Amino acid sequence: MRLASTPLVSWAASLHRLAQTSCGGKLWADHRALSQLNSIKAEYATEALSPKQPSPRSLALQALDLKMGDIVQATVKEVYVSPRAIGLHLDVRGVRANLTTSNISHAPLNLEDMNKIFKTGDTIKALVQRVALARSQLTLSTKRLESTPGDMLRDPQMVYAGAEEKGAAFRLQGAQERALRFPQMVYAGAEEKGAAFRLQGAQERALRLQGFKASGIKAGDVLQGTVKCCFQKGVYVTVCPGVDGFLSHPSGSTQCKLGDTIQVKVESCDMVTANVRLTKLDA
């Protein structure tokens, strides 16, 4: 039976004739290899496009809700030695993490140093240097908590005591670097930050007004207060818990210092804004 001549049949016949020659056999093999390569590419593309289920470790990391610059407490499980590094196996609220010597101190540490500093069951503080949920990676560091190289070897407790301050400085530095690298990202979050700032201001005003009403202060009251903060034109005086009044500096008067205890008279009160104006009574 003879097949009708069509473009597809002609193309298949040409390939068959090429396969019967040495040169044609190579072309045929190349064609098959190319087809297999294309099928593999298509398979990987399908896997990349399909949503991948997060691993249990990734879910556990997500539940910790850690951010760069956070200070975490971790329990030392053991000091380990591997062909590549010496480090610690840690437990961070049920999630395992590693801390190698390269991230423990700016000074070089050996196994003897590690056994001297850390014991199984110790609780340490570390800075979250990086969180990669997609890779289920948690990178910790105590090196970034050191004020001078080798502090972790000399006095780890001193390093832990200043951990929060170092963490705040790390977060500020990261925010400044991101603002320089990605200014549009800063603008994109401007509305949200503005709303949060307004909410915080409203909450502070509500607390101040609540304290003012509870104090029962009225115009004409004579009170004793403590200077809270000083400015060129006057000072704020705390006259009751949660209630501050403003005392202006008259021309030529002796200015108050921070922490001074002075006697003042309530000149006026604003029941809406909780603003209190004071006058100083002569001692």
Side-chain angles (χ1 to χ4, degrees), residues 29 48 61 74 111 127 129 136 177 179 198 217 221 230 261 263 278:
L61 271 178
L111 182 59
L127 180 139
Q129 187 169 309
S136 303
E177 290 176 354
R198 290 191 295 272
I217 293 175
D221 287 351
C230 304
T261 300
Q263 196 171 24
L278 306 171

Side-chain angles (χ1 to χ4, degrees), residues 211-231:
F212 172 71
K213 289 181 177 179
S215 68
I217 293 175
K218 59 185 181 298
D221 287 351
V222 176
L223 306 167
Q224 195 171 26
T226 304
V227 177
K228 180 180 180 180
C229 52
C230 304
F231 299 94

Side-chain angles (χ1 to χ4, degrees), residues 226-231 234-238 244-247 276 278:
T226 304
V227 177
K228 180 180 180 180
C229 52
C230 304
F231 299 94
V235 296
Y236 276 98
V237 182
T238 301
D244 300 329
F246 184 74
L247 172 64
V276 180
L278 306 171

Side-chain angles (χ1 to χ4, degrees), residues 229-257:
C229 52
C230 304
F231 299 94
Q232 185 176 1
K233 294 185 178 181
V235 296
Y236 276 98
V237 182
T238 301
V239 292
C240 287
V243 179
D244 300 329
F246 184 74
L247 172 64
S248 61
H249 288 310
S251 177
S253 67
T254 303
Q255 295 188 357
C256 304
K257 298 187 295 296

Side-chain angles (χ1 to χ4, degrees), residues 46-189:
T46 304
E47 290 182 359
L49 291 175
S50 61
K52 188 178 180 181
Q53 294 297 326
S55 65
R57 175 176 170 81
S58 179
L59 292 174
L61 271 178
Q62 189 174 0
L64 291 180
D65 192 25
L66 296 176
K67 301 177 181 62
M68 289 176 58
D70 286 351
I71 302 298
V72 296
Q73 288 191 344
T75 304
V76 177
K77 306 304 288 184
E78 63 175 348
V79 176
Y80 74 88
V81 181
S82 71
R84 292 187 176 183
I86 301 173
L88 297 174
H89 286 153
L90 302 174
D91 180 87
V92 183
R93 286 183 271 167
V95 176
R96 182 174 173 175
N98 295 336
L99 182 60
T100 60
T101 53
S102 61
N103 280 327
I104 290 177
S105 176
H106 289 87
L109 300 176
N110 54 33
L111 182 59
E112 184 180 351
D113 296 329
M114 294 288 289
N115 288 322
K116 180 181 176 181
I117 302 170
F118 305 104
K119 299 291 187 293
T120 300
D122 285 354
T123 299
I124 70 169
K125 287 186 177 181
L127 180 139
V128 177
Q129 187 169 309
R130 185 168 180 264
V131 181
L133 294 178
R135 298 182 179 181
S136 303
Q137 290 182 351
L138 173 61
T139 306
L140 302 177
S141 172
T142 56
K143 178 171 73 175
R144 290 184 175 272
L145 302 179
E146 290 186 326
S147 297
T148 55
D151 280 349
M152 279 297 296
L153 181 60
R154 291 186 292 268
D155 191 352
Q157 296 303 321
M158 180 189 69
V159 176
Y160 303 152
E164 297 296 337
E165 182 180 353
K166 294 289 185 181
F170 182 82
R171 290 191 295 272
L172 177 61
Q173 180 184 357
Q176 291 172 341
E177 290 176 354
R178 287 191 297 274
L180 290 175
R181 292 173 60 192
F182 310 106
Q184 295 302 325
M185 183 178 69
V186 178
Y187 303 148

